[in-house]
Amino acid sequence: MEFVGRGDQLRRLSALLAEVTASGNGRMLAVRGRRQVGKSRLFTRFVDDAATPYVFFTAIKNAPRGQQLAAFRDDVLVSRQPLPEAAALFASAATDWSDLFGRLRLAAQHGPVVIVIDEAPWAVETDPTFEGRLQKAWDTQMQHLPVLLVLIGSDVAMMQRLTEHDRPLYGRATEQVVAPFNPAEVAAALGDRGGRGDRGGRGALGDRGGRHAMAAFDAFLVTGGYPRLVENVARHETLAGFVREQLGDENSDLIVVAQRSLDAEFPAEAQARRVLTAIGGHPVGVATFSSAVAALPGSTKAAETGLTRALTLLVDAKRVVAVDRPALSRPGTRLKRYRIADPYLRLWFRFVEPQLANIARGRADIAIGAFEAGWESWRGVAVEPVVREALRRLGASGPVAGAGASGPVAGAGASGPVAGIDEVGAWWNRDNSVEVDIVTSRGASVVALGSIKWRDRRPFSRAELDALAAQRGVVPCAGGAALVAVCPAGVHPDAHPDWLLRAEDLLEAWAPESTD
């Protein structure tokens, strides 16, 4: 797979290294991102392209300090751009971290060097002195030399704690996040590879325009933008073909990438895993507190207590679960909904985890049948937060019209439905009898209401538009709200929303000029 979607990050890293080289002063980066998002691959590419002496060390989980230091020496000696005097400086393994950092200081005296410590939390876990020794070496020596020091970690919570005010490295490292591919990067990775669509030649990965854009969003929902999974999708003619193949092999990436990530992040938190199953296993992947409680074992009181504790970990510390509230509601509202934040994990808990036993015993046909039966309804809900994120980004970058939107269809003015808005959310009432997919607001005023119909064959209908218009009288402060139809298939000739957004319009939200 060609290197896709990381151009901006590579340019920023190159600029940072140029600054270190020119100034002669060190810089430290603390890089975090979930497993399999491509952190190691990004920095491998960076050091290979930089033509600067480097060492790329990957810490070993649960290994004692001596084994870590020996592995560091080995990585120094196999670098494609060896550190100055590497053979002499690392003729033997360092005795401790202070000794190792002292040797790196001697190497840096000959010119700029890049030092990458991957899976840094594993080094910290096995030797509590690592942070303090690094802090001392940095303050007294390394920051005054042309050193670019990169600490990488997949334990997002731990990497954040490394730079907090009560830790030795506070104020020394610049934080950087490596995220999965966004939908536009997924589209670029898929490129023109692919062929026929899933049905009748439509929706092909290689089609351009709207069909290609919708295929990119669908691939994003399945892969979460994880490069390894996206690469696998790009090898198939259709997304459905990819899923069928992956569900047929219990060792496939679609199955094991999530398992490994969960095992690493939640090795001892059995209740957290049960809560993820309770939330993600819902037919459309959205749960209320009461529905999650009902899906947990034990008495109601015990389940409520366990759920509350697990949500603290999953929402606040790990950020695996997202909490949605009705637009314009107070922070303390009890009308909360919970969902798996990562699209790939959301799909995994819905379609893969419940079928692991069937797949293992050779009945992949059951898993494939369950996926095909539930995909359309699940996809229609799973895409909603992605659409709302697109609208937030379009609103931050300017009028929707300036981003290539297909509207206005019936004259909503040039400002568009999200320009200058404060919030993009959804809205639902207490008994869920009324639900609105999109509510954009400015202050206490609702600017637009929107409905998402994620389909490529049946346009947005007049009846659906009338239903959306009726919700103006139900959603607070929405009497004059514009009506927004989000539908890859467009609108029926007798339906006239104020704005129409197709898949290709939404994809523009992640265009390079709009990227953070």
Side-chain angles (χ1 to χ4, degrees), residues 46 73 108 137 147 370 413:
F46 167 63
R73 172 186 177 273
V147 175

Side-chain angles (χ1 to χ4, degrees), residues 60-64 67-68 122 125-126:
I60 305 169
K61 188 173 180 62
N62 298 326
Q67 188 176 346
Q68 304 276 16
W122 290 349
E125 287 175 356
T126 56

